[in-house]
Amino acid sequence: MPEGTVLTIPIATIHHDKEIWGEDANEFKPTRFENGVTRSGKHPNALLSFSSGPRSCIGQNFAMIEAKAVIPVILQRFSFSLSPKYVHAPMDVITLRPKFGLPMILKSLEM
Ligand code: HEM
């Protein structure tokens, strides 16, 4: 690579590659990861949510612990459904995110 070359890795595209993830690559399938991230795809570094190597995300462990601590507490207290205002427009800016946000309707599960 010539010095100064900007290299963009299409993470979202790689995460939907059927050669790596199989025919069900586009399905939400958490059981892919039941034997660990390195065995989820055909290549041990196939999952690039936090990138890989010396410039990978320094917040990775924090983000995972935060998600595991906070998401179960929220799910115990509320049910979720997608708001009719949601517009499906995935946007790939390093990570994949909804361009116009993700409006949700929350209902308390506490009686
Ligand atoms: C689910 C949450 C997160 C995701 C998916 C994520 C994803 C990523 C990715 C893909 C990169 C590499 C970007 C590149 O190659 O140019 C990155 C870098 C980085 N992330 Fe995260 N991140 C998350 C949370 C966090 C948190 C919570 C922090 C800080 C507390 C953080 C701090 C950083 C920093 C400082 C870098 C740059 C590292 C470097 O260039 O050496 N991230 N992140």
Side-chain angles (χ1 to χ4, degrees), residues 11 48-51 54-59 62-63 94-95:
I11 297 175
L48 290 167
S49 311
F50 295 101
S51 192
R55 295 303 298 272
S56 66
C57 178
I58 58 163
F62 171 77
I94 301 180
T95 57

Side-chain angles (χ1 to χ4, degrees), residues 92-103:
D92 188 2
V93 188
I94 301 180
T95 57
L96 199 62
R97 61 192 71 183
K99 187 172 181 183
F100 305 111
L102 187 61

Side-chain angles (χ1 to χ4, degrees), residues 7-99:
L7 200 64
T8 303
I9 298 169
I11 297 175
T13 306
I14 292 169
H15 286 176
H16 290 85
D17 188 336
K18 290 184 179 173
E19 279 187 28
I20 297 171
W21 304 102
E23 282 306 308
D24 59 2
N26 290 318
E27 282 174 33
F28 175 67
K29 191 180 163 196
T31 51
R32 283 181 217 287
F33 306 102
E34 63 189 359
N35 296 316
V37 165
T38 53
R39 292 189 190 158
S40 56
K42 283 196 183 139
H43 187 280
N45 289 336
L47 190 78
L48 290 167
S49 311
F50 295 101
S51 192
S52 181
R55 295 303 298 272
S56 66
C57 178
I58 58 163
Q60 174 171 359
N61 290 339
F62 171 77
M64 290 302 289
I65 290 169
E66 185 184 42
K68 287 176 189 171
V70 173
I71 292 173
V73 175
I74 296 172
L75 291 178
Q76 282 168 1
R77 288 167 172 73
F78 298 96
S79 72
F80 291 80
S81 56
L82 203 54
S83 164
K85 290 181 185 161
Y86 173 69
V87 178
H88 189 63
M91 184 174 71
D92 188 2
V93 188
I94 301 180
T95 57
L96 199 62
R97 61 192 71 183
K99 187 172 181 183

